Structure formats: C-alpha cells, structure tokens
C-alpha cells in the first residue's frame, strides 16, 4: 500500500489503484498516521488532528470507530493498535512526503556535485509527486 499525503490524502494499492477512503475525518486520520509511519501515534494526538477544536463527547470511542472504518478500507493489517495509540504499518518509503524529501535531498546533492542531469531527474520526480493545486 502507498500513502499519498501531498495534496489530497489518498491510498493506493500495489498496482497504483486508488482505494476509496471516504470523508474528511478518515482522510485526516490517515494523514496523521502517515506522518509517522511505523511509529505509535498517541490517541490524544489523533483526536486533536481529526477533530481539532471540537472533539466528540466520547472522543476515544469515536476514534476507535474511525480506526475500524479505516482498517476495513485499507485492510486490518494496515493499522496496528498499540498501548496508548495506533500505528500505520508502513515505512517512510510508502509515504509520498518522505519519498519527496529523499528525492529533493538527492537532487540538491547532485546539484552540489555539478551533476545537473541527475539533479533535474530527481527534482522532477519529486515535483511529480505533488497532486495539489
């Protein structure tokens, strides 16, 4: 699974086919988890990211229900429950933001070495990851 958080949050299967996520809250949850792939994100942090200033009355239960919806969409193995929070079972290479950052670092290093061809290739690949306006 690949996670796209540059622009509108999306998930893609191994063939590059988009996985329908649903509404804004489930996308916010995925984005909050994808910012920390493979690491536990505390429930309180996720509640703040998803509901901001207006969490529901029983926010932990609402978060648990939202995680359940996301698991049904992505597959139950995609989101792990850990003490105190949840974890996206992915690596940085699975999230476009981190791939973008890596390509920019490579492109910048190539420029520093005077290798304009490699720099142009890497920086163009980084720019191609952006899907926003």
């Amino acid at each position: 699974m690949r996670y796209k958080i540059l622009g509108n949050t999306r998930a893609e299967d191994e063939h590059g086919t988009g996985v329908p996520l649903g509404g804004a809250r489930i996308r916010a949850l995925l984005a909050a988890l994808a910012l920390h792939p493979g690491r536990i994100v505390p429930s309180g942090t996720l509640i703040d990211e998803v509901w901001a200033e207006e969490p529901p009355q029983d926010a932990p239960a609402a978060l648990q229900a939202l995680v359940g919806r996301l698991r049904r969409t992505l597959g139950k193995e995609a989101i792990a429950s850990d003490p105190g929070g949840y974890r996206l079972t992915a690596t940085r290479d699975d999230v476009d933001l981190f791939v973008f950052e890596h390509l920019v670092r490579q492109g910048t290093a190539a420029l520093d070495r005077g290798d304009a061809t490699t720099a142009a290739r890497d920086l163009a690949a980084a720019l191609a990851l952006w899907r926003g306006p």
Side-chain angles (χ1 to χ4, degrees):
M1 192 74 67
R2 300 277 184 225
Y3 303 100
K4 312 290 184 170
I5 59 175
L6 293 173
N8 293 327
T9 301
R10 297 178 15 168
E12 295 178 351
D13 67 15
E14 63 276 2
H15 305 293
T17 303
V19 176
L21 292 175
R25 286 195 178 111
I26 202 163
R27 289 175 187 280
L29 174 60
L30 178 56
L33 289 166
L35 285 171
H36 310 281
R39 294 181 23 218
I40 298 169
V41 181
S43 296
T45 300
L46 295 172
I47 290 167
D48 289 345
E49 291 294 324
V50 173
W51 287 282
E53 305 296 319
E54 298 181 27
Q57 185 80 14
D58 190 359
L63 176 62
Q64 187 177 23
L66 195 60
V67 167
R69 285 180 46 210
L70 188 56
R71 282 180 173 146
R72 283 188 295 280
T73 301
L74 300 177
K76 65 180 180 178
E77 69 286 342
I79 312 294
S81 296
D82 287 294
Y86 297 93
R87 176 174 47 88
L88 183 67
T89 57
T91 68
R92 293 171 65 92
D93 291 339
D94 298 322
V95 180
D96 65 350
L97 170 66
F98 301 108
V99 174
F100 173 87
E101 290 175 339
H102 176 74
L103 288 167
V104 168
R105 281 192 303 275
Q106 281 186 179
T108 302
L111 276 178
D112 291 345
R113 292 189 312 272
D115 183 355
T117 302
T118 300
R121 183 196 66 221
D122 290 346
L123 294 172
L127 186 58
L129 293 172
W130 175 253
R131 297 168 338 283

